[in-house]
C-alpha cells in the first residue's frame, strides 16, 4: 500500500511540477523588447532618438506640415542614405510607432519635413497633430522603404489616396513621372510639384496615364487592350479599400500580395506594381 501511495505521489508531483514550469515559461514577465531611447548615438533603426518639433503648420482640417529636428551630429550623411527611406515615429502615449517618409530627406541642420494626415482611428497621426513647436518626438531610422532604380523604368505613375504624394526629384530627365491623387481639389499648400499631372482616380484615368486612349468603337465593342511596350511602374499609396480596388489587396502581414483590381485586369504584374 505504501509503495502504491508513494508511486502515486511521485506521478502527481511530476505532473504538478511540469505544469508549474510551463506556466512560469509562458506567463513570467519578460524584459521589454522595445527599442531603447539613446540621446548621444547617431540615428539608427535599432534605437529611438529624441527630436524637436521646429514648426507645425495647418494645411486643412486633416493635414499638417511638421518639421522635426535631430542634432546635426546625430544625422546621417547624404552618402549613407538610400534613395527612398522612412523613419518610425513613436506615439509616447500608447507606445505605438508608424513609418513616415520625409518630404525632402534630412538637411545639414538635421531638419526633416513631414506632411501628416490625420485618419479616423490613426493614433500616431492624431498624436502628431497635437504637437507644438518645442515638443519632443522620438523616432528611429532611417529604414529603406524600397530599392529605387530609376534606370529600370520609362514611366513612374504614383497613385495616392492620402498624403503619400511625395516623390523623389533626384531622377533622370527622361523619366516621366505622373501623380494622381484621389481627393480633389488639392490643398494649395500641398507639396506637389507643379510639373506633375494631378487628377481623380478611376479606370479611365489609369488607362489614360499609360496611353491606352480607347476610341469610342473600342469601348463599344469592348476590344481587349494591349499593354504598352514601355517599362511602367505603379506606386500605390492610400487607404486599403482604394489600394484593393486599384491594385488588389495586401498579402499576409502587409506583404505585396497578388496584383488584382484595375491594374490586374490591365495585365500588370507584381514586378510592375508596388503597394506602399
Amino acid at each position: 500500500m505504501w509503495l502504491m501511495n508513494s508511486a502515486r505521489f511521485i506521478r502527481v508531483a511530476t505532473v504538478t511540477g511540469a505544469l508549474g514550469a510551463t506556466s512560469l515559461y509562458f506567463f513570467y514577465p519578460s524584459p521589454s523588447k522595445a527599442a531603447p531611447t539613446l540621446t548621444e548615438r547617431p540615428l539608427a533603426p535599432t534605437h529611438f532618438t529624441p527630436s524637436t518639433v521646429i514648426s507645425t503648420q495647418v494645411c486643412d482640417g486633416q493635414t499638417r506640415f511638421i518639421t522635426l529636428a535631430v542634432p546635426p551630429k546625430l544625422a546621417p550623411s547624404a552618402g549613407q542614405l538610400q534613395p527612398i527611406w522612412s523613419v518610425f515615429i513613436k506615439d509616447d502615449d500608447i507606445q505605438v510607432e508608424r513609418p513616415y517618409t520625409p518630404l525632402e530627406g534630412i538637411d545639414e541642420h538635421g531638419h526633416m519635413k513631414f506632411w501628416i494626415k490625420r485618419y479616423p482611428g490613426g493614433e500616431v497621426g492624431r498624436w502628431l497633430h497635437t504637437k507644438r513647436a518645442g515638443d519632443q518626438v522620438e523616432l528611429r531610422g532611417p529604414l529603406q522603404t524600397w530599392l529605387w532604380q530609376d534606370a529600370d523604368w520609362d514611366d513612374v505613375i504614383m497613385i495616392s489616396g492620402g498624403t503619400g504624394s511625395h516623390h523623389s526629384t533626384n531622377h533622370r530627365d527622361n523619366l516621366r513621372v505622373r501623380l494622381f491623387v484621389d481627393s480633389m481639389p488639392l490643398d494649395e499648400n500641398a507639396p506637389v510639384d507643379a510639373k506633375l499631372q494631378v487628377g481623380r482616380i478611376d479606370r479611365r484615368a489609369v488607362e489614360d496615364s499609360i496611353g491606352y486612349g480607347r476610341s469610342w468603337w473600342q469601348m463599344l465593342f469592348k476590344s481587349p487592350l494591349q499593354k504598352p511596350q514601355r517599362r511602367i511602374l505603379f506606386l500605390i499609396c492610400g487607404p486599403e479599400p482604394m489600394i484593393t480596388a486599384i491594385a488588389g489587396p495586401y498579402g499576409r502581414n502587409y506583404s505585396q500580395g497578388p496584383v488584382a483590381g484595375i491594374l490586374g485586369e490591365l495585365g500588370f504584374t507584381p514586378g510592375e506594381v508596388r503597394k506602399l
Side-chain angles (χ1 to χ4, degrees), residues 34-49:
T37 299
L38 304 177
T39 60
E40 298 297 326
R41 299 281 295 276
L43 258 67
T46 54
H47 64 262
F48 285 97
T49 299

Side-chain angles (χ1 to χ4, degrees), residues 214-223:
R214 287 194 188 201
S215 64
W216 68 269
W217 63 268
Q218 286 176 314
M219 291 187 288
L220 179 63
F221 293 101
K222 298 182 179 179
S223 300

